[in-house]
Amino acid sequence: MWAGNYPNGAVYIVTCTAPLGAPGTSGGWVWLATPPDGFGATETTPGELAARAVELMQLTGPAIGHTPDPGLTGLVGVPVWLWTEVGPTTWGPNTATASVPGLSVTATAQASEIAWEMGDGTTMRCANPGTPYHEGGIQSPTCHHVYQQSSAGQPDDAYRITATTTWQVTWVGGGASGSLTVTRTSSSTVRIGEMQVLITG
């Protein structure tokens, strides 16, 4: 039964069933190097393992970057640059495999967009991670917002930015495949002031 492979792998008994009322067929013993799909995992579905693989990725909301830097104050009418640091947990791609005896599912996640709720009633949807600010930059080439009013009167005199990343996940394993969508959120604050111009004659 071991076909000369002992002690590697294992020997399994194969049972061949038939529809009710039909004659059954005999099975037999077979040596396999690894457990067959689903062996010992009859209570865990591929979809459940896919969800577990997503947990293993430890996906997060954006690692938010914006102008002005925290602690500084921006100006009404001046573009606020928006971006996230790019990495496996903040933008992707990210891959993880979840397993139980005899069954493994591999999932791959890639962010597709970030929805930036700017705290002034505006939501910016950017299908990219944004562009980090560089000295001398005026308007972000990928993702920015222009405030029309100062943040005076807001909690702590600052607008709260809430950024939600949408992740597209595909998975395969156990003779099945599928896809799912997950979201992750993070937040920051930004202060916006108005420039006062004094003209003397």
Side-chain angles (χ1 to χ4, degrees):
M1 289 184 294
W2 283 90
N5 294 293
Y6 183 84
N8 300 313
V11 173
Y12 301 86
I13 185 169
V14 178
T15 302
C16 301
T17 59
L20 185 63
T25 58
S26 61
W29 296 93
V30 62
W31 174 88
L32 295 174
T34 58
D37 287 347
F39 180 80
T42 56
E43 296 183 0
T44 302
T45 66
E48 290 170 338
L49 276 185
R52 193 176 304 174
V54 171
E55 293 177 0
L56 293 175
M57 295 180 198
Q58 298 183 330
L59 304 178
T60 69
I64 295 175
H66 60 73
T67 56
D69 292 333
L72 301 179
T73 301
L75 293 174
V76 168
V78 176
V80 172
W81 293 43
L82 303 165
W83 71 91
T84 179
E85 294 180 14
V86 175
T89 61
T90 58
W91 186 257
N94 196 327
T95 299
T97 299
S99 302
V100 293
L103 179 62
S104 293
V105 169
T106 297
T108 300
Q110 175 65 63
S112 59
E113 74 163 22
I114 300 176
W116 300 87
E117 297 179 37
M118 302 306 298
D120 63 348
T122 302
T123 298
M124 306 293 299
R125 294 189 178 276
C126 299
N128 54 72
T131 302
Y133 177 76
H134 58 84
E135 187 175 353
I138 303 294
Q139 179 173 294
S140 169
T142 52
C143 191
H144 67 268
H145 175 63
V146 178
Y147 285 101
Q148 302 299 323
Q149 295 182 333
S150 78
S151 57
Q154 298 289 325
D156 199 28
D157 289 327
Y159 288 115
R160 173 163 290 276
I161 299 174
T162 302
T164 300
T165 303
T166 297
W167 293 85
Q168 304 298 335
V169 181
T170 57
W171 59 267
V172 61
S177 63
S179 62
L180 59 148
T181 300
V182 297
T183 58
R184 298 291 187 269
T185 299
S186 53
S187 63
S188 182
T189 57
V190 61
R191 286 189 171 85
I192 302 296
E194 292 182 298
M195 180 180 293
Q196 302 295 325
V197 178
L198 177 64
I199 302 177
T200 61

